[in-house]
Amino acid sequence: MLVRIVISSVLSLATAAGTLSAAQRIAFAETAAVEAAPMPLPPPKPAMSEQEKEKTLPAKQLFGAVQLPSIGRAVAIGHYHRGCLAAGVELPINGPNWQVMRVSRNRNWGHPTLIHFLEKFAPAAAKATGWNGILVGDLAQPRGGPSPSDHASHQNGLDVDIWFMPMPDRVLTKEERDTISAINLVSDDWKSLNPETWTPQHVAFIKTAAQQPGVQRVLVNAAIKKELCRLEAKKPHAWMAKVRPWYGHHDHIHVRLFCPAGSPKCQAQEPVKDEDGCGAKELDAWFSDKRLKPQISKPPPPAKPPKPMMLADLPPACRAVLEAPAKNTSLASDKR
């Protein structure tokens, strides 16, 4: 650009002074024309092949980009924290006693066993609590696998989050489903429950979930587990063994099912112990300062970010699930 300006200026001055010959003026003009020509753009980079994507992109990006399930028979593959889902089934976003939240995430897919669980649990929970129904959070992605945000589990189609908030008596809009927040049942110090949000209906809600066939665990916040232990201390409570404390889970329960029949590559989690989980040794540790308020005496040295989970880290069958043709569904096209 600067060269063109200089040439143009010199040419104008020289012409005005009458010092250039015709040949010189032609030469200057040709030089200016060459400089004015646009520089050719570099050739576009070739598109990344599927093999290159699988080697370079984290598994959460690969599975998170897939919008539809694979064809074939529904199978839960691998572990809850390291697996995938073949031929996932979509939970309709509206049911007689449920509504799906965060629809834009496209995480309302699961193994048929999980879908059947929700179809039975929703009316049972409504009856036990007096609610209109339940609000369903994340299940799994269409082909399971790691998700781009929020979850380490929910990978093989056997996990579901269900909010501690009753379903309203109307159909929520898409915008409301993506913006409404679930209610927190735990107090600010994380050691007890918030009396303004905790109700007896929540006890019935959790109990009903834990008593459903096929449920392996129901994860709740430790403060919720402690209150359940107090309330059920003198009652038959075999279901309490399935209710386990875990980080977070102050605004929803996390229900996990056993590996279903017909999924030989599903890896079962270690069974819960026969105890109800209310012992001081197991429960009190959740309320220590070490867990509630971890103290760091000095800044830790810089650490490399953890290596993301790659497709090669998942069970080999997950590669076939990811690469399989898509199974189109009317539900998927209706909601998007």
Side-chain angles (χ1 to χ4, degrees), residues 268-285:
Q269 188 173 0
E270 181 180 353
V272 296
K273 299 177 181 179
D274 292 335
E275 295 87 357
D276 58 15
C278 293
K281 182 179 180 181
E282 180 177 358
L283 195 56
D284 289 355

Side-chain angles (χ1 to χ4, degrees), residues 3 5 29 35 46 55 59 77 80 97 101 117 176 196 213 251 266 283 295 311 315 320 333-334:
V3 174
I5 293 173
E35 291 296 332
K55 291 181 180 179
I77 299 170
Y80 306 91
N97 303 100
M101 306 300 287
F117 160 78
E176 288 175 321
E196 295 183 1
D251 55 10
C266 178
L283 195 56
Q295 301 294 320
L311 181 60
S333 59
D334 286 345

Side-chain angles (χ1 to χ4, degrees), residues 192-235:
S192 58
L193 298 182
N194 183 348
E196 295 183 1
T197 55
W198 172 260
T199 69
Q201 285 77 20
H202 290 112
V203 179
F205 175 71
I206 298 168
K207 181 177 181 179
T208 302
Q211 290 179 327
Q212 297 302 302
V215 171
Q216 196 220 37
R217 276 174 170 79
V218 177
L219 303 181
V220 299
N221 186 272
I224 297 174
K225 173 68 176 183
K226 182 174 73 171
E227 178 64 10
L228 291 175
C229 290
R230 186 187 71 82
L231 293 172
E232 298 292 321
K234 297 181 180 181
K235 302 176 184 178

Side-chain angles (χ1 to χ4, degrees), residues 82-105:
R82 191 181 294 264
C84 59
L85 172 65
V89 177
E90 188 171 22
L91 178 71
I93 64 172
N94 295 313
N97 303 100
W98 76 80
Q99 292 186 46
V100 173
M101 306 300 287
R102 305 295 187 261
V103 175
S104 61
R105 291 184 177 188

